[in-house]
Amino acid sequence: MKSDELDATLDSFGDALASATRVTPGNALRPEDIAKDGVKPSEQIAQYALRLGDDSLILSQRMSHWVSRAPELEEDVALGNITLDLLGHARSFLTYAGLAWDKTEDDLAYFREEEEFTSLHIVEQDNGHFGVTIIRMLLVATYQHLLYTALMESADETLSAIAAKSVKEVDYHRDHAIQWTIRLGLGTEESAEKMRHALEILWPYIDEMFTDEPLHDQLEGVAVRPSTLRAAWDQEIAGVLDEAGLEVPNVPQAMCKGRQGEHSEYMGYILAEMQVLARKHPGATW
Amino acid sequence: MAATTQNDSQLSAVPSYEQEQAQARFDAIIGDDSRIEPRDWMPEPYRKTLTRQVSQHAHSEIIGMQPEANWITRAPSLKRKAILIAKVQDEAGHGLYLYSAAETLGTSRDELNDQLLTGRAKYSSIFNYPARTWADMGAIGWLVDGAAIANQVPLCRASYGPYGRAMVRICKEESFHQRQGFEILLSLSRGTEAQKKMAQDAINRFYEPSLMMFGPPDDQSPNSKQSMAWKIKRFSNDDLRQRFVGMIAEQVKVLGLTLPDPELRFDEETGKWLHKDLNWDEFMAVIKGGGPMNSQRMERRRAAHREGAWVREAAAAYANKQAQSEVA
């Protein structure tokens, strides 16, 4: 290209092209669409959507700490991508839940108290070293992949649509975690030891993911009963750990009641950081 | 062997016929406004200048992730949080293309990274200022990315092909970044008194450092002339600076805010924008490491590298084992 042709681009750079920061039209089911066109869910369905939204929100909040700190640049991009996907899932679920109570995604994220959050304990665990983050991603993404696959059959159209969009993304998270689990499990003695340690510290929070609640009884055909995912999850995880030269650790399960709003000591700090600015300016728009 | 090398280096003082031909081809490509490609012959100083410039640019993208990452966890709405994560992720992507472009000049990414971590290579000194408030996300997008675009759009025409092409893609994304920054400031400027104050304060702090991103005044920028002759650079520092300040002087009116520059005006006679004298002593002090955040920025990068060492080693060891098992 010659100089004069390029001079023309000086004044109109970049108008027509995509970037990650642009909302692409046609990318189905954005939170904004749910807010605008979504059908108001029942109280129970909203409670269920809130659980799924809180899991993704808190995990995304945790993961976002990795941005600019990853072991290599490619991983900064990958972890950023995963963080962004999870935030997108959270926004959709929270927006949908909020319709039942005339609340926005931001009301729910920024102006609820700790005991009102319904997330699982595993998502609030510390990032630790890269291996801990990868094992947590493996355990949670495998769970979410099974969950969203089943939720696509939900009688509730909005839940089914959110699941259909999210399942493709958590499939990538799962794949990313599997690749790293194998690489680090079989890499060096040091990396294998770190992965064994990561499994030991995260395994106590597994049972909580698969615990049925009365809410699931009330939402037959709408919600996925967590206990039904356990066998497939166990089998998948065992397969990955076997391939990575790792084993399911022999550790007791922790008593967790995240779904009832009882959280670990981490949660207060996570929320304090996430909510500080929004709460300093209540009612402001950003 | 040693004798031959010495002999060669002495002989190179007088260019061979082939070297003269190669230089003539290079000069013709530059003269014709075409592109130099990685396999083309190029004079060593051209290669060196480009390697320095492209890698500094890559380092700036990587260090520049830090001030914005600082606000991801506290972003005041989920939508803003999503946009900010996407933006910082774009920056990591820009770093990757630029390191690739630099590698085509013959220096490996590991070596370039090592130059950054050991302080032998520089990055844009604006990232040595702290992002103190949420409004800084707006000011960085509008002013810092805006200045970067004004600098980089002409680089889309840089004579070195891989650099020019990387810049085309980067400029398109940067343009969105600038708009999202402006949009943050626009929301704040239409918000509460506290939000407006926050926006004005951020503009006040980033105005001068963003003007200094164009580099020293023309009469104090010794390398500019050669870069322009090589058509790496197309406009002088001062020319780009006045062009940029003219743009933001108009845009700030939309925000209903002001630029902290009582001397800013359009000079009808020269057709150029005039601005106040900039504090070049501060600029030099920050470049030399004395900015408020130099030490933290570098330590954060070194820590990420250090803490990730076991991961990279394990990945390499795994890849080796895989390669061996495929051979066997």
Side-chain angles (χ1 to χ4, degrees):
Chain A
M1 208 190 283
K2 298 277 176 164
S3 305
D4 50 346
E5 296 168 41
L6 275 150
D7 269 335
T9 65
L10 268 172
D11 299 319
S12 63
F13 38 82
D15 276 359
L17 281 117
S19 147
T21 40
R22 194 172 66 145
V23 178
T24 341
N27 198 349
L29 206 74
R30 298 170 310 145
E32 290 82 358
D33 300 329
I34 298 173
K36 194 160 68 73
D37 305 324
V39 181
K40 188 172 167 167
S42 69
E43 173 67 23
Q44 280 98 350
I45 292 178
Q47 287 293 347
Y48 181 65
L50 191 67
R51 282 157 168 67
L52 304 187
D54 283 348
D55 286 347
S56 295
L57 178 65
I58 301 302
L59 185 55
S60 171
Q61 182 70 9
R62 272 299 196 201
M63 290 283 297
S64 68
H65 187 77
W66 274 106
V67 175
S68 80
R69 293 183 171 91
E72 47 192 341
L73 210 42
E74 284 81 353
E75 205 50 31
D76 257 316
V77 176
L79 295 179
N81 205 10
I82 291 168
T83 305
L84 195 56
D85 288 344
L86 290 165
L87 181 57
H89 307 163
R91 294 184 61 204
S92 293
F93 283 123
L94 293 182
T95 299
Y96 186 44
L99 291 177
W101 310 305
D102 288 326
K103 287 189 186 299
T104 65
E105 52 175 343
D106 289 338
D107 294 335
L108 292 175
Y110 293 98
F111 294 94
R112 273 184 301 156
E113 299 302 316
E114 181 177 326
E115 61 273 17
E116 297 173 274
F117 276 81
T118 58
S119 44
L120 297 164
H121 278 227
I122 194 165
V123 297
E124 68 194 58
Q125 295 307 305
D126 197 26
N127 285 341
H129 57 64
F130 183 70
V132 176
T133 291
I134 288 298
I135 289 290
R136 185 183 55 197
M137 192 190 300
L138 174 73
L139 305 179
V140 177
T142 303
Y143 165 79
Q144 287 179 326
H145 184 250
L146 291 166
L147 172 62
Y148 296 153
T149 303
L151 193 60
M152 282 163 65
E153 307 302 322
S154 171
D156 185 277
E157 278 181 22
T158 309
L159 287 178
S160 159
I162 299 171
K165 179 174 186 287
S166 310
V167 74
K168 296 174 211 150
E169 293 171 345
V170 293
D171 191 25
Y172 161 71
H173 308 172
R174 178 173 143 264
D175 183 60
H176 194 71
I178 290 172
Q179 299 304 322
W180 272 115
T181 301
I182 294 170
R183 239 177 251 140
L184 297 175
L186 300 178
T188 60
E189 193 36 56
E190 183 189 8
S191 69
E193 182 50 40
K194 280 183 171 356
M195 294 304 268
R196 285 191 286 272
H197 174 245
L199 276 165
E200 275 178 26
I201 60 173
L202 289 170
W203 203 261
Y205 308 103
I206 294 311
D207 279 2
E208 190 192 18
M209 296 198 288
F210 301 100
T211 306
D212 295 338
E213 297 178 81
L215 181 66
H216 300 111
D217 299 332
Q218 295 158 16
L219 290 174
E220 192 63 46
V222 171
V224 176
R225 195 178 287 277
S227 61
T228 60
L229 307 172
R230 183 70 195 246
W233 186 90
D234 278 338
Q235 199 184 350
E236 271 193 52
I237 295 294
V240 175
L241 295 186
D242 185 51
E243 202 179 337
L246 299 167
E247 285 172 6
V248 170
N250 183 19
V251 290
Q253 288 297 303
M255 285 177 260
C256 300
K257 292 184 181 172
R259 295 294 189 220
Q260 282 87 55
E262 292 181 24
H263 296 281
S264 71
E265 291 174 355
Y266 290 128
M267 192 66 163
Y269 292 92
I270 294 172
L271 295 181
E273 187 176 17
M274 183 173 81
Q275 297 176 333
V276 61
L277 181 59
R279 288 190 171 209
K280 203 170 163 188
H281 302 268
T285 47
W286 300 94
Chain B
M1 239 5 229
T4 319
T5 310
Q6 197 182 20
N7 215 7
D8 279 351
S9 80
Q10 284 164 347
L11 273 177
S12 71
V14 181
S16 68
Y17 174 74
E18 286 77 12
Q19 279 167 327
E20 278 182 357
Q21 289 290 303
Q23 178 74 49
R25 271 198 303 276
F26 174 85
D27 292 343
I29 292 171
I30 298 287
D32 190 40
D33 249 354
S34 292
R35 302 261 207 211
I36 303 294
E37 296 298 337
R39 284 178 194 164
D40 293 338
W41 181 89
M42 63 189 89
E44 272 316 298
Y46 176 86
R47 186 185 297 277
K48 217 173 141 188
T49 297
L50 268 168
T51 304
R52 196 192 64 227
Q53 182 171 339
V54 179
S55 63
Q56 276 184 12
H57 189 166
H59 300 329
S60 301
E61 295 281 357
I62 301 312
I63 297 290
M65 292 166 72
Q66 291 184 30
E68 294 178 312
N70 182 43
W71 281 94
I72 289 175
T73 53
R74 291 175 293 169
S77 78
L78 296 185
K79 186 177 178 186
R80 290 281 178 217
K81 190 193 288 279
I83 293 170
L84 190 59
I85 296 169
K87 177 175 193 273
V88 180
Q89 196 195 0
D90 275 353
E91 282 154 10
H94 296 174
L96 279 172
Y97 325 141
L98 287 164
Y99 283 126
S100 301
E103 283 193 305
T104 65
L105 291 157
T107 309
S108 72
R109 193 166 124 195
D110 281 348
E111 165 59 20
L112 296 171
N113 188 45
D114 193 57
Q115 290 175 1
L116 173 66
L117 298 183
T118 54
R120 280 176 294 147
K122 300 288 181 204
Y123 54 88
S124 183
S125 73
I126 193 135
F127 300 120
N128 292 314
Y129 290 89
R132 287 173 41 215
T133 71
W134 170 253
D136 291 12
M137 299 302 95
I140 289 175
W142 178 46
L143 296 175
V144 177
D145 292 337
I149 294 168
N151 246 329
Q152 290 168 6
V153 167
L155 291 175
C156 298
R157 298 153 53 188
S159 55
Y160 188 59
Y163 189 33
R165 287 187 289 271
M167 290 317 304
V168 171
R169 182 162 173 191
I170 288 171
C171 283
K172 284 164 188 164
E173 295 185 352
E174 290 289 354
S175 167
F176 285 104
H177 295 179
Q178 191 194 15
R179 285 177 193 192
Q180 69 85 36
F182 188 76
E183 204 206 338
I184 287 174
L185 292 175
L186 193 61
S187 299
L188 293 174
S189 72
R190 291 173 177 174
T192 64
E193 274 310 308
Q195 286 177 306
K196 262 181 243 176
K197 208 174 145 195
M198 196 194 285
Q200 184 64 59
D201 166 67
I203 293 172
N204 293 350
R205 283 182 289 113
F206 279 95
Y207 174 73
E208 216 177 310
S210 71
L211 293 194
M212 291 195 279
M213 284 174 69
F214 295 93
D218 293 348
D219 55 7
Q220 293 162 41
S221 179
N223 298 326
S224 283
K225 214 173 157 190
Q226 177 62 69
S227 277
M228 285 175 79
W230 277 328
K231 294 184 181 170
I232 297 172
K233 210 173 151 83
R234 300 276 178 161
F235 301 97
S236 78
N237 295 352
D238 286 334
D239 192 20
L240 287 168
R241 182 164 23 241
Q242 70 81 25
R243 196 190 285 221
F244 172 68
V245 85
M247 278 193 307
I248 61 172
E250 292 304 314
Q251 292 166 353
V252 78
K253 293 178 191 163
V254 180
L255 296 174
L257 299 170
T258 57
L259 296 174
D261 188 347
E263 294 169 48
L264 181 62
R265 68 180 176 89
F266 184 72
D267 184 42
E268 297 287 349
E269 221 166 276
T270 55
K272 287 183 187 290
W273 285 84
L274 302 176
H275 55 79
K276 68 180 179 184
D277 286 338
L278 304 172
N279 186 347
W280 293 107
D281 291 342
E282 178 176 310
F283 179 78
M284 291 314 295
V286 176
I287 283 191
K288 285 181 183 149
M293 298 293 286
N294 296 60
S295 175
Q296 281 185 45
R297 297 289 186 236
M298 287 302 293
E299 183 48 25
R300 165 97 158 256
R301 193 87 294 272
R302 284 193 287 256
H305 190 73
R306 196 167 58 230
E307 286 157 20
W310 70 273
V311 176
R312 295 188 301 273
E313 279 160 22
Y318 175 74
N320 275 339
K321 286 177 196 170
Q322 287 299 101
Q324 278 168 14
S325 71
E326 270 167 36
V327 171

